[in-house]
Amino acid sequence: MAKILNGILGKASGKVGGVVAGTWKDKNYVRTHVIPANPNTGGQQTQRQKFSRAVAFAKQFLGTVLNPFVDPFQKSMSGFNYFIKHNVDHFTSTPTYSAVQLVFGKLFIHATTSTVASVADSKVTVTFPTTNGPNGLATDVAYIAVYDRTNKIGYISDGTAKRGDGTVSVNMPVAAFGNYDTYMFFAQYVDGKLMLVSNTAYSDGVGA
């Protein structure tokens, strides 16, 4: 049964006869009800596998990165869905981790080749240039998100490092020289409110 909200010209949802109504990306629609075919072609299987890998990766950073640093800048979808949309094609049978973007923004950050990652004393550390660029501040918070490919676990730094420090570290649970990928980004706050974020700068897999 369909439901009409806010009068005859308002939002509608549900199915009446051969017609379906609903809302997608804040837009109302009415369309013919179609039962989609599912032939499970080779191409569809490949796409589903890429989607599954992208989802597994994103879940490791859902509460620590995607919710706090991607959600606030999206209007019509969650940060999780935005990540999947922009990264799913990188998760082939041999994922291109260097092409993955965790955070998407306009705050200044240097090219990926300007960051260097190292592992020692149960930490992954990234060094980076302290240049502010056109809209950066020395007080911008520097973060690194680290993905442990071996154990498929994600970690993020504690938010105490600043752009002016030139280094940011994240503690790891064990002193292991595993296969890590690091994604550094900046966040700019004004009176405690998040205003801008940068893209992520990738550092090659440590120990790969």
Side-chain angles (χ1 to χ4, degrees), residues 113-127:
T113 53
S114 297
T115 64
V116 179
S118 60
V119 179
D121 300 325
S122 299
K123 289 183 179 181
V124 173
T125 299
V126 169
T127 59

Side-chain angles (χ1 to χ4, degrees), residues 137-155:
L137 300 172
T139 54
D140 293 339
V141 179
Y143 291 96
I144 53 170
V146 179
Y147 182 65
D148 176 353
R149 292 190 208 174
T150 304
N151 298 300
K152 295 181 172 56
I153 300 175
Y155 305 90

Side-chain angles (χ1 to χ4, degrees), residues 75-94:
K75 293 183 179 180
S76 299
M77 66 177 70
S78 67
F80 181 88
N81 288 341
Y82 192 82
F83 171 88
I84 299 297
K85 176 182 177 181
H86 288 272
N87 289 287
V88 65
D89 287 336
H90 303 316
F91 287 90
T92 60
S93 57
T94 305

Side-chain angles (χ1 to χ4, degrees), residues 10-29:
K11 294 182 179 180
S13 65
K15 177 177 176 289
V16 176
V19 176
V20 177
T23 302
W24 184 75
K25 290 188 176 181
D26 299 326
K27 295 181 180 179
N28 300 326
Y29 68 85

Side-chain angles (χ1 to χ4, degrees), residues 43-134:
Q44 287 176 321
Q45 292 179 32
T46 298
Q47 189 63 22
R48 290 184 186 121
Q49 289 167 358
K50 289 194 293 185
F51 183 83
S52 178
R53 295 185 195 102
V55 167
F57 180 95
K59 283 182 177 179
Q60 296 304 313
F61 298 104
L62 179 60
T64 55
V65 179
L66 301 182
N67 287 346
F69 299 110
V70 183
D71 274 353
F73 302 99
Q74 307 308 316
K75 293 183 179 180
S76 299
M77 66 177 70
S78 67
F80 181 88
N81 288 341
Y82 192 82
F83 171 88
I84 299 297
K85 176 182 177 181
H86 288 272
N87 289 287
V88 65
D89 287 336
H90 303 316
F91 287 90
T92 60
S93 57
T94 305
T96 309
Y97 292 106
S98 60
V100 171
Q101 278 289 326
L102 269 180
V103 180
F104 311 82
K106 298 180 179 179
L107 185 60
F108 177 77
I109 188 169
H110 276 273
T112 58
T113 53
S114 297
T115 64
V116 179
S118 60
V119 179
D121 300 325
S122 299
K123 289 183 179 181
V124 173
T125 299
V126 169
T127 59
F128 55 86
T130 58
T131 307
N132 292 337

